[in-house]
Amino acid sequence: MSSLITIDWDYFMDYMNTWNGSYIENETNIYKHWYKKYFDEKNRGIDITKHMNVGGEVDEFWAKLKKNVNFKPNTKILLTESHLNAYKIAVEQGVDSVFSFDSHSDLGYEGLDSFKFEVNCADWLGKLIYEGKINEANIIYGPYTNEYPEEFKEINKSYDINYLTLDQVKCDNPCEIVHICRSGCWSAPWLDKRFMAFVYESGFEFENIDIKERNWDPNGISLAEQIDYMLYG
């Protein structure tokens, strides 16, 4: 079986176990809501940039993954903003299975009724297996997820879905594309430099498809901008 390896950057976010945000993936939520959250917490005497970070697991990720995945010499990374792009990549590459590293299952959150909706960032993996485009879905939850496999028991019983740890991942025939998404609605902008460092640490060539730079500068914005951010949402 050929497989797509896809990695959501929020897999490493150490605040995901208390994160209950659900957002439409648009430029406003990728950028603007972070300022609102920052100033809301600052007014309570909390600097969230000191408390919301990536976990130490990020430092050993590639070494552990490469032990059990037979990456090809010409492997290339595609960088996208949304995990939704994994759906298109999996179809284009003609893979039989997906290994998804994420803080979210992306199977859909309405049981089997999830598949009545169009493909989106919350159901792309479920839609792949429901539509028969892949035969197997492997979910590797991030260490800080607040989800549990039991939440998807209806889907789990109907399809070949496995829940693995990083050490349990075995893949002899990965496709030549590795997909990494930033998921900026959930991944803080002050961690973007660490995100790019993570990409470089892979040792693979990469292509940025649609990720836009976020200029995180809460001390450099005007009062009018700050008020606008505070009123957002």
Side-chain angles (χ1 to χ4, degrees):
M1 291 172 59
S2 59
S3 304
L4 172 67
I5 306 291
T6 178
I7 304 162
D8 192 316
W9 179 229
D10 75 22
Y11 174 93
F12 301 102
M13 303 296 110
D14 67 4
Y15 51 84
M16 293 308 298
N17 54 357
T18 58
W19 186 267
N20 296 310
S22 179
Y23 301 98
I24 296 172
E25 288 188 311
N26 56 34
E27 190 168 348
T28 298
N29 286 331
I30 290 169
Y31 182 76
K32 201 171 186 178
H33 92 93
W34 288 105
Y35 278 105
K36 175 176 172 54
K37 188 170 183 64
Y38 173 82
F39 288 116
D40 280 345
E41 295 301 308
K42 184 178 181 181
N43 288 337
R44 298 173 55 216
I46 300 171
D47 183 352
I48 60 173
T49 66
K50 303 254 190 310
H51 298 281
M52 298 173 70
N53 210 323
V54 292
E57 298 82 5
V58 70
D59 298 324
E60 300 177 347
F61 179 83
W62 287 113
K64 287 186 175 182
L65 188 64
K66 288 182 178 182
K67 283 183 180 179
N68 295 324
V69 177
N70 185 27
F71 286 113
K72 297 175 173 60
N74 58 340
T75 294
K76 179 180 179 179
I77 290 174
L78 293 185
L79 299 178
T80 71
E81 181 60 53
S82 174
H83 214 167
L84 172 59
N85 294 91
Y87 177 93
K88 180 181 178 181
I89 294 170
V91 173
E92 289 179 345
Q93 294 296 312
V95 298
D96 302 296
S97 69
V98 170
F99 289 84
S100 177
F101 295 81
D102 200 337
S103 282
H104 309 94
S105 75
D106 292 350
L107 290 172
Y109 292 84
E110 302 293 336
L112 295 176
D113 285 341
S114 302
F115 305 136
K116 297 177 181 177
F117 303 101
E118 65 181 12
V119 63
N120 58 62
C121 66
D123 69 6
W124 66 266
L125 184 56
K127 292 284 276 189
L128 278 172
I129 199 163
Y130 165 72
E131 295 171 352
K133 291 182 169 62
I134 61 172
N135 300 318
E136 178 185 277
N138 300 283
I139 296 168
I140 305 91
Y141 273 133
Y144 310 100
T145 184
N146 60 12
E147 291 187 3
Y148 299 93
E150 293 77 14
E151 298 176 49
F152 308 94
K153 58 184 178 181
E154 189 177 25
I155 299 175
N156 295 337
K157 288 180 180 178
S158 302
Y159 301 98
D160 190 358
I161 297 171
N162 307 299
Y163 296 86
L164 309 173
T165 66
L166 173 57
D167 291 332
Q168 291 172 327
V169 172
K170 308 291 182 185
C171 182
D172 291 327
N173 189 28
C175 71
E176 296 174 356
I177 297 297
V178 173
H179 174 236
I180 304 178
C181 65
R182 184 175 67 175
S183 287
C185 291
W186 294 270
S187 300
W190 54 89
L191 301 175
D192 283 355
K193 289 182 179 179
R194 185 64 188 91
F195 171 73
M196 287 310 304
F198 171 71
V199 174
Y200 280 108
E201 287 162 6
S202 72
F204 300 129
E205 293 185 7
F206 66 88
E207 179 182 355
N208 182 1
I209 302 300
D210 63 359
I211 295 177
K212 297 179 181 178
E213 183 178 358
R214 293 187 290 187
N215 182 25
W216 175 254
D217 184 19
N219 296 319
I221 65 175
S222 68
L223 178 60
E225 288 174 315
Q226 181 175 335
I227 293 172
D228 180 48
Y229 294 141
M230 292 296 289
L231 293 175
Y232 166 68

